[in-house]
């Protein structure tokens, strides 16, 4: 089969912000008639499918062969991909890119070119000439270290004896090799493969040059860090688009790195410290929708990365941003459904890797899904729900390994009147916002045993799920004043604000405050936070902790559930460091020692989420083993 290339760059690419190859669509050869295309029926609905990093990393061929073609006849399909991961996200491309960014700030081990100039301490003239040389658009990836020159790794190469490749460059090699291997294992057509390999190498060279520049200036701004992680989605989507074309699907790679609209003339721009408002997300939804519609009958393969956004994507949205982009795209296209494909059947009553008896939840409310994600069950990014549900588009979590399964549908409470959601003429409301009963999965592959469908017999009220968030530390502040002071809390919060510390849980008395925060602050920042907090009182820091959260909208009406939770932990000899219950009453949380996390998760699942099978005396409800 001779298929057109993945994309045809029409202009030389800048190494720091590579040109948007999506603009090359018009220069792509015409589609041969044998390629599958999106439905051209004007009545066909858009369907947005987002594939997570581990799914793209492990099942790209299966997605191209078994899943995507299934939907093409009936829908206009848009595909959003995350950066590739291997077995876990922690070992994935985005983490490697963040590692490379940190390594670029470490002292280089390269031998200096002259006594007065090193790559970490360089004259401006030297920097610009090196960047010019190292960012040649189509320069081949250098393999030889024998001649004195600046190579594509951003390394000043004098002689083999004096040179050591910087660690960030070795990390980029790892990323490059992993993507080349994946491409070679999946793409059969030699023309497509050659083009793809060249694109991967070019992107990796551009990344090296970018990292080299950051090493020279010894600084990475949040915006630069965003640009660095954006390479992950670029590479993943190029591979996915190539595999799809290789398998006969007329796919088009679409980069969204330039899609964020600039503020309209005269409008106040969003400062880097502000949070992004709904108006911003609405504008992105319109922009990405318009861009994708330009693909015509081609199936767009869209980078879930959509930075740079004001204030930085990592700071404003955080990891898992591709879910949010997929949601905005679904809104911009007025899609009938947003599907989030993962390596798990849907949302379970607990992490199925840790709790073997966890059950799939067929239908869950957006609030519960968001709460679970905030507290450790990273199934869907918490901002995703609001964007989609307010436009009446259902979200379905599905498993690439079990495509026929019904998955989990995220659906607002049945008693919420969805007609109250904001109407906006820019976004056609989905007409497929099915009633709750119709969304109850019935597919044969589904493992669903949930108790949530409106049509079922009444069941005992249960919490919905239990989750654990690890890598937590607790900061305790004990007021040094003898009498009550309204300034005590204000002082603490202003320190947290100044150092951008996000508090996951807080519990207070008049003179004592306990806060659970993520244990990811650099040592020096933590020391400064503690030093500042000491102005308000004595401070203790407890590390190696975890947050255990029981989540469920039914808990509002459940008397005794908190008692059951804490009694269970007591009986299991799990020590509780602090307790917190939010005003929305859909979450009861406590902080425990990290070493007890898995035991506590299983104990709470058994005591609060399992129902004894129905016997002669009927159901007896939640029970303690
Ligand atoms: N309550 C939960 N329900 C389902 N998965 C959960 C839950 N809590 C934690 N997880 C974990 O979240 C992971 C998310 O799925 P995965 O496909 O690996 O993510 P990604 O889309 O980022 O590649 C699963 O491996 C699963 O073990
Ligand atoms: N690659 C990014 C974005 C993302 O959304 O990932 P995933 O879909 O695998 O959660 C990250 O690791 O955060």
């Amino acid at each position: 089969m001779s298929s057109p290339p993945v994309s045809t760059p029409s202009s030389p690419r800048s190494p720091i912000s590579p040109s948007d190859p999506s603009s090359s669509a018009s220069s792509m050869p015409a589609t041969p008639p044998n390629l599958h295309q999106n439905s051209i029926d004007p009545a066909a609905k858009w369907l947005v499918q987002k594939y997570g990093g581990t799914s793209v990393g492990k099942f790209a061929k299966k997605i191209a062969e078994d899943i995507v073609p299934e939907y093409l006849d009936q829908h206009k399909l848009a595909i959003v991909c995350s950066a590739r991961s291997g077995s876990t996200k922690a070992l994935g491309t985005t983490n490697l890119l963040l590692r490379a960014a940190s390594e670029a700030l470490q002292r280089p081990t390269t031998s200096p070119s002259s006594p007065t100039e090193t790559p970490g301490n360089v004259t401006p003239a030297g920097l610009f000439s090196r960047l010019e040389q190292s960012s040649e658009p189509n320069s081949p990836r250098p393999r030889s270290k024998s001649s004195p020159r600046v190579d594509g790794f951003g390394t000043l190469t004098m002689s083999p004896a004096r040179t050591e490749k910087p660690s960030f460059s070795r990390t980029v090699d790892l990323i490059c090799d992993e993507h080349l291997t994946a491409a070679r294992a999946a793409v059969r057509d030699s023309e497509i493969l050659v083009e793809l390999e060249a694109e991967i190498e070019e992107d990796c060279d551009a990344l090296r040059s970018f990292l080299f520049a950051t090493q020279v200036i010894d600084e990475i701004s949040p915006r630069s860090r965003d640009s660095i992680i954006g390479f992950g989605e670029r590479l993943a989507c190029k591979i996915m688009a190539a595999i799809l074309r290789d398998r006969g699907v007329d796919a088009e790679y679409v980069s969204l790195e330039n899609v964020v609209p600039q503020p309209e003339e005269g409008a106040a721009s969003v400062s880097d410290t502000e949070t992004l408002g709904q108006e911003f997300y609405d504008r992105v939804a319109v922009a990405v929708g318009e861009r994708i519609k330009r693909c015509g009958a081609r199936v767009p393969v869209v980078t879930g990365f959509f930075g740079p956004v004001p204030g930085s994507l990592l700071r404003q949205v955080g990891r898992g941003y591709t879910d949010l982009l997929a949601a905005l795209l679904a809104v911009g296209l007025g899609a009938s459904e947003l599907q989030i494909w993962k390596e798990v059947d849907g949302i379970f009553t607990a992490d199925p890797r840790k709790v073997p008896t966890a059950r799939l939840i067929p239908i869950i409310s957006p609030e519960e899904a968001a709460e679970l994600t905030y507290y450790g069950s990273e199934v869907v990014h918490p901002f995703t729900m609001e964007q989609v549900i307010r436009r009446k588009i259902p979200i379905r979590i599905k498993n690439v390994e079990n495509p026929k399964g019904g998955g989990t549908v995220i659906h607002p409470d049945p008693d919420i009147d969805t007609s109250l959601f904001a109407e906006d003429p820019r976004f056609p409301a989905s007409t497929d916002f099915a009633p709750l009963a119709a969304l109850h999965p019935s597919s044969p592959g589904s493992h669903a045993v949930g108790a949530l469908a409106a049509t079922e017999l009444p069941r005992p009220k249960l919490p919905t799920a239990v989750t654990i968030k690890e890598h937590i530390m607790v900061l305790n502040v004990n007021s040094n004043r003898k009498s009550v002071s309204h300034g005590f809390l204000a002082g603490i919060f202003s320190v947290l604000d100044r150092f951008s510390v996000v508090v996951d849980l807080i519990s207070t008395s008049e003179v004592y405050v306990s806060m659970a925060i993520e244990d990811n602050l650099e040592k020096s920042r933590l020391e400064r936070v503690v030093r500042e907090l000491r102005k308000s009182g004595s401070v203790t820091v407890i590390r190696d902790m975890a947050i255990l959260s029981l989540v469920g909208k039914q808990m509002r009406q459940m008397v005794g559930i908190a008692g059951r939770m804490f009694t269970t932990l007591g009986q299991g000899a799990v020590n509780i460091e602090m307790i917190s219950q939010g005003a929305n009453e859909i979450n009861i949380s406590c902080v425990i020692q990290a070493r007890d996390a898995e035991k506590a998760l299983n104990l709470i699942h058994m005591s609060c989420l399992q129902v004894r099978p129905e016997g002669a005396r009927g159901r007896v409800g939640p029970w303690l083993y």
Side-chain angles (χ1 to χ4, degrees), residues 244-305:
L244 281 164
R245 293 186 78 80
D246 188 70
R247 300 301 196 272
V249 176
D250 187 14
E252 177 180 334
Y253 163 73
V254 181
S255 164
L256 292 184
E257 60 204 338
N258 296 321
V259 84
V260 171
Q262 297 308 307
E264 278 159 31
E265 215 172 307
S269 63
V270 184
S271 87
D272 280 6
T273 50
E274 275 177 81
T275 27
L276 297 171
Q278 188 54 44
E279 181 51 33
F280 171 81
Y281 289 125
D282 285 346
R283 279 191 287 125
V284 176
V286 171
V288 294
E290 281 169 1
R291 170 63 192 90
I292 296 314
K293 284 178 191 158
R294 294 213 308 269
C295 292
R298 286 204 170 100
V299 178
V301 181
V302 187
T303 59
F305 174 82

Side-chain angles (χ1 to χ4, degrees), residues 1-24:
M1 185 179 73
S2 173
S3 307
V6 185
S7 68
T8 313
S10 48
S11 58
R13 297 172 193 180
S14 139
I16 289 181
S17 176
S19 69
D20 181 357
S22 61
S23 59
S24 65

Side-chain angles (χ1 to χ4, degrees), residues 50-55 85 87 89 341-344 346-353 372 376-379 465-467:
K50 180 257 165 174
Y51 291 96
T54 46
S55 305
S85 294
S87 46
K89 192 162 165 169
W341 288 79
K342 303 183 78 74
E343 261 194 281
V344 60
I347 302 180
F348 279 70
T349 48
D351 186 341
R353 282 176 309 184
L372 282 173
S377 293
E378 289 177 19
V379 188
V466 58
T467 179

Side-chain angles (χ1 to χ4, degrees), residues 279-568:
E279 181 51 33
F280 171 81
Y281 289 125
D282 285 346
R283 279 191 287 125
V284 176
V286 171
V288 294
E290 281 169 1
R291 170 63 192 90
I292 296 314
K293 284 178 191 158
R294 294 213 308 269
C295 292
R298 286 204 170 100
V299 178
V301 181
V302 187
T303 59
F305 174 82
F306 63 107
V309 303
S312 140
L313 190 61
L314 273 181
R315 275 198 187 161
Q316 294 276 4
V317 179
R319 298 290 299 272
Y321 45 82
T322 55
D323 287 339
L324 176 61
L325 184 276
L328 296 174
L329 178 57
V331 169
L333 294 171
S336 58
E337 184 170 287
L338 166 63
Q339 294 181 344
I340 298 188
W341 288 79
K342 303 183 78 74
E343 261 194 281
V344 60
D345 272 322
I347 302 180
F348 279 70
T349 48
D351 186 341
R353 282 176 309 184
K354 296 176 180 158
V355 179
T357 52
R359 303 180 312 272
L360 180 69
I361 304 168
I363 299 166
I364 192 169
S365 72
E367 298 79 14
E368 291 168 310
E371 207 73 358
L372 282 173
T373 307
Y374 274 124
Y375 289 102
S377 293
E378 289 177 19
V379 188
V380 189
H381 189 284
F383 295 0
T384 313
M385 268 67 74
E386 191 192 343
Q387 298 304 324
V388 187
I389 300 295
R390 68 202 300 276
R391 300 292 167 207
K392 306 181 187 176
I393 300 169
I395 308 173
R396 193 183 289 271
I397 320 287
K398 285 181 72 79
N399 188 351
V400 279
E401 290 188 272
N402 177 22
K404 295 211 183 315
T408 294
V409 176
I410 303 177
H411 191 286
D413 293 352
D415 46 357
I416 288 180
D417 180 0
T418 52
S419 66
L420 297 177
F421 290 127
E423 291 295 345
D424 186 323
R426 290 173 297 180
F427 307 112
S430 167
T431 49
D432 287 3
F433 203 58
L436 194 58
L439 289 169
H440 192 57
S442 55
S443 3
S446 169
H447 299 164
V449 288
L452 298 172
T455 49
E456 289 192 357
L457 288 171
R459 289 211 172 200
K461 287 188 181 5
L462 286 177
T464 302
V466 58
T467 179
I468 198 100
K469 183 168 183 175
E470 290 175 281
H471 311 296
I472 293 293
M473 71 167 104
V474 173
L475 290 177
N476 292 313
V477 188
N478 194 355
S479 170
N480 48 17
R481 298 205 174 80
K482 298 283 172 276
S483 57
V484 181
S485 160
H486 55 267
F488 174 52
L489 284 180
I492 291 173
F493 287 132
S494 92
V495 173
L496 300 175
D497 184 38
R498 248 182 300 141
F499 289 90
S500 306
V501 176
V502 179
V503 176
D504 283 332
L505 285 184
I506 186 158
S507 134
T508 65
S509 70
E510 276 180 2
V511 290
Y512 203 85
V513 175
S514 295
M515 294 166 294
I517 64 172
E518 259 184 76
D519 196 349
N520 60 0
L521 301 184
E522 313 88 69
K523 193 164 171 274
S524 60
R525 188 146 70 108
L526 178 62
E527 281 167 3
R528 280 190 290 153
V529 170
V530 170
R531 216 172 22 246
E532 288 299 309
L533 287 176
R534 286 219 168 100
K535 293 178 184 163
S536 301
S538 58
V539 179
T540 51
V541 180
I542 311 173
R543 305 192 94 139
D544 298 322
M545 306 302 279
I547 297 174
L548 178 73
S549 304
L550 190 57
V551 171
K553 62 179 196 288
Q554 302 271 19
M555 293 199 307
R556 286 182 190 130
Q557 288 106 42
M558 288 175 72
V559 177
I561 186 66
R564 175 180 291 275
M565 177 175 173
F566 297 123
T567 305
T568 306

Side-chain angles (χ1 to χ4, degrees), residues 132-144:
E132 257 167 39
Q133 291 174 64
S134 62
S135 61
E136 276 301 306
N138 293 313
S139 60
R141 192 174 159 208
R143 303 279 177 197
S144 154

